[in-house]
Amino acid sequence: MSTELTVSPVAGVPKAELHVHLEGTATPDLIRRLAARNGIALPEERLFRPDGTFAWNDFLHFLQSYDIAAGAIRTAQDYRDITYEYLSACAAEGAVYVELIASLDHGRKVGLDDAEHLAGIAQGIDDAYADHGIVGRIISSIVRNFGVADCEDVARRTVALAHPYVVGFNMAGDEAGFPAGDYARAFAIAAEAGLGCSVHAGEHAGPESIRAALALPGVVRISHGVRAIEDPALVRELAERRIVLEVCPTSNVVLGVFPSYEDHPLGALRAAGVPVTLGSDDPPYFGTTIGREYELAHERLGCSLQDLRTITETALDAAFSDTEGLVNQPHQPGDL
Ligand code: ADE
Ligand code: ZN
């Protein structure tokens, strides 16, 4: 019997990720290590299932578990380590560029100064680039269910910090309970400062939520956006305006937005000419990785290897920082 291992051809496809939440990349093992280092007792039964994975049973419960786990991330060194571990894992799967959606709120809640918070993430980005040649950048995220005033405050702080690695602005959280229109001022502050803007919409609410997100200042990408498929006129508009959807198939299936991969609209959106990219969202919560999302797109969502390369090109074109040459002239580790 042959013991030869077969390597999937998807392994050789360069990958780029525009939709992943930095706090949501920390695995249960890493959260436990950080809690031990910071002398924090985790609410074991609330946070973990018996098999050691994060416990949650629907979207709002997921957001609660996410906030509890993020509470164990306390210091700049913690943020450096999370960033470095995530980018290193992505590089091992063939990723060349990742935008990390990071929330100043989660640092502030545990008493971490904003500048130190960003410095920790930046150190992780620099170390991962030096060791693996992967480029990381930061998207500053507001969380809509933390309230309008808080979101405007985060927008102002983001702009005041003017960190060179912060290239974009996003809004996550409870989409159905907190409509986008209330956050226009926060987006105006970010957009006027030149940050690229994206919004979570069309995940747990329908086409109207996507339209409201598109009406916000500066928005050129939508995080998820997959429920546009319920409205053919909106699909046409997305295609015509070249609005990029940052699609996270496993997140959608696991959170029940669609019952299975076979019901997922990635293929239909692509066929309609909507520019799409692939993301892992919150990988350990949903049992995925960016490499796995590319594999699944190939195996179950009708994407050829060439389609996957196009998806990466779309992501690099839609990136909020300069990604020129990242695929054709990859950086060699050590040439910083
Ligand atoms: N925060 C982290 N993951 C999220 C998601 N999938 N939707 C909205 N907010 C989030
Ligand atoms: Zn997300």
Side-chain angles (χ1 to χ4, degrees), residues 19-21 59 62 66 101 170-173 200 203 223-224 246 248 251 255 280-282 286:
H19 185 167
V20 62
H21 300 261
F59 177 61
F62 154 73
Y66 184 102
I101 302 172
N170 197 323
M171 178 161 73
H200 280 64
E203 178 194 25
S223 296
H224 298 292
E246 310 152 5
C248 305
S251 166
L255 284 172
S280 61
D281 212 5
D282 304 283
F286 305 143

Side-chain angles (χ1 to χ4, degrees), residues 139-140 142 144 167-172 180-181 183-192 194-202 208-225 234 237-238 241-246 318 320:
I139 306 282
S140 177
I142 54 177
R144 54 220 300 167
V167 295
F169 191 70
N170 197 323
M171 178 161 73
Y183 303 87
R185 216 180 137 58
F187 276 84
I189 293 165
E192 274 164 28
L195 295 171
C197 295
S198 182
V199 181
H200 280 64
E208 280 319 305
S209 173
I210 299 171
R211 291 184 195 284
L214 288 173
L216 291 172
V219 172
V220 292
R221 300 187 338 213
I222 298 287
S223 296
H224 298 292
L234 179 57
E237 182 182 339
L238 295 174
R241 291 177 57 189
R242 308 297 298 157
I243 300 290
V244 172
L245 303 187
E246 310 152 5
F320 291 146

Side-chain angles (χ1 to χ4, degrees), residues 10 78 181:
V10 176
D78 294 347

Side-chain angles (χ1 to χ4, degrees), residues 97-173:
Y97 180 77
V98 176
E99 288 182 359
L100 302 156
I101 302 172
S103 138
L104 290 180
D105 275 311
H106 283 91
R108 182 64 69 100
K109 276 182 196 294
V110 296
L112 183 62
D113 169 77
D114 289 342
E116 278 184 49
H117 184 166
L118 291 184
I121 301 173
Q123 190 64 54
I125 288 174
D126 285 343
D127 292 349
Y129 181 72
D131 290 352
H132 307 293
I134 184 168
V135 173
R137 289 292 179 265
I138 304 166
I139 306 282
S140 177
S141 178
I142 54 177
V143 181
R144 54 220 300 167
N145 41 291
F146 291 170
V148 172
D150 178 275
C151 291
E152 291 176 7
D153 185 47
V154 170
R156 274 188 219 98
R157 279 154 50 205
T158 300
V159 168
L161 285 157
H163 193 288
Y165 287 177
V166 176
V167 295
F169 191 70
N170 197 323
M171 178 161 73

